[in-house]
Amino acid sequence: QSALTQPASVSGSPGQSITISCTGTSSDVGAYKYVSWYQQHPGKVPQLLIYEVSNRPSGVSIRFSGSKSGDTASLTISGVQAEDEADYYCSSYTSSSTWIFGEGTKLTVL
Amino acid sequence: QVQLVQSGAEVKRPGASVKISCKASGYTFINSSFHWVRQAPGQRLEWMGWSNSVNGDTYYSEDFQGRLTITRDASATTAYMELSSLRSEDMAVYYCARGAYGAFEYWGQGTLVTVSP
């Protein structure tokens, strides 16, 4: 099963905004509102950042926001901070009643 | 608070099976879906399968069809994942996660499975 397409890496200076894209197909990202984003620091358990395209769970910073257009979802981090340096993964429900993850994006804070 | 506590690390021979448990607490178990996700060293997250609380069905990634079995014991508030015919490529950290709003809301601490001759 293939993965959703994400850039391998992105970078930004503290205070800048960065956006990570997540491209799927009309059978997953484009078809459902069940797109979510996860942050994973090295050696740690992934943590949910965004669910249903743009909703933040309680406790997640408002600096994290999500959106979707067609088959591509996006995660934006406003005012990047050093603590945001981590791997980020998107995920989507699919027409096969399964889920699929993205390839993962490594965020480097310069 | 919601907690998912997984069983400990496993070392298995190629061809063997591994069964990992995920003990849930802090919420109503029967109303929740469970997912299993794995991550090989230095690799991306890989979704494996899930147990749907609504209809009781299980769904598996085609990458694991025939080798993966997901079960749950409501009386023990525990979910299980069994992977058979292990090979070296199955060496990974395996996570259980509670499903909600189409996302993986809470995660277990992970279980390392080592496959070695």
Side-chain angles (χ1 to χ4, degrees):
Chain A
Q1 193 174 14
S2 57
L4 303 173
T5 302
Q6 296 182 233
S9 63
V10 297
S11 62
S13 299
Q16 286 186 328
S17 290
I18 66 97
T19 297
I20 299 171
S21 62
C22 170
T23 301
T25 69
S26 58
S27 295
D28 39 65
V29 174
Y32 302 99
K33 67 178 182 179
Y34 299 123
V35 176
S36 51
W37 290 89
Y38 303 85
Q39 178 190 62
Q40 186 182 33
H41 288 104
K44 300 298 186 181
V45 177
Q47 290 198 309
L48 177 63
L49 288 178
I50 298 288
Y51 66 94
E52 291 183 342
V53 176
S54 59
N55 294 308
R56 274 187 313 276
S58 173
V60 172
S61 171
I62 60 172
R63 297 185 298 104
F64 295 93
S65 62
S67 62
K68 188 181 83 164
S69 177
D71 297 343
T72 298
S74 298
L75 173 71
T76 297
I77 309 176
S78 305
V80 165
Q81 299 177 359
E83 67 205 48
D84 299 332
E85 187 162 290
D87 292 327
Y88 292 83
Y89 294 91
C90 62
S91 179
S92 175
Y93 181 67
T94 82
S95 59
S96 302
S97 298
T98 62
W99 268 259
I100 185 171
F101 278 103
E103 297 160 325
T105 299
K106 181 177 179 60
L107 169 63
T108 300
V109 180
L110 302 171
Chain B
Q1 75 280 20
V2 175
Q3 276 197 308
L4 301 176
V5 179
Q6 299 181 222
S7 49
E10 301 266 9
V11 179
K12 296 292 183 181
R13 300 280 189 242
S17 297
V18 67
K19 188 171 185 176
I20 299 171
S21 65
C22 174
K23 169 75 173 174
S25 62
Y27 69 99
T28 305
F29 180 85
I30 59 172
N31 293 336
S32 63
S33 298
F34 280 92
H35 297 260
W36 290 88
V37 176
R38 77 176 185 181
Q39 188 171 38
Q43 302 301 309
R44 68 175 183 89
L45 298 172
E46 181 178 19
W47 183 83
M48 300 178 69
W50 73 302
S51 169
N52 185 340
S53 66
V54 175
N55 60 16
D57 288 347
T58 51
Y59 300 84
Y60 303 121
S61 165
E62 60 187 25
D63 293 341
F64 299 97
Q65 290 287 356
R67 293 205 300 143
L68 177 62
T69 304
I70 292 173
T71 56
R72 56 199 291 161
D73 180 348
S75 64
T77 65
T78 300
Y80 302 91
M81 185 283 295
E82 184 170 19
L83 187 63
S84 62
S85 303
L86 290 171
R87 36 209 189 224
S88 58
E89 309 91 90
D90 294 319
M91 196 172 331
V93 175
Y94 289 77
Y95 295 102
C96 64
R98 189 182 87 164
Y101 307 107
F104 315 115
E105 185 184 22
Y106 292 97
W107 296 64
Q109 83 277 19
T111 297
L112 175 63
V113 174
T114 301
V115 182
S116 178

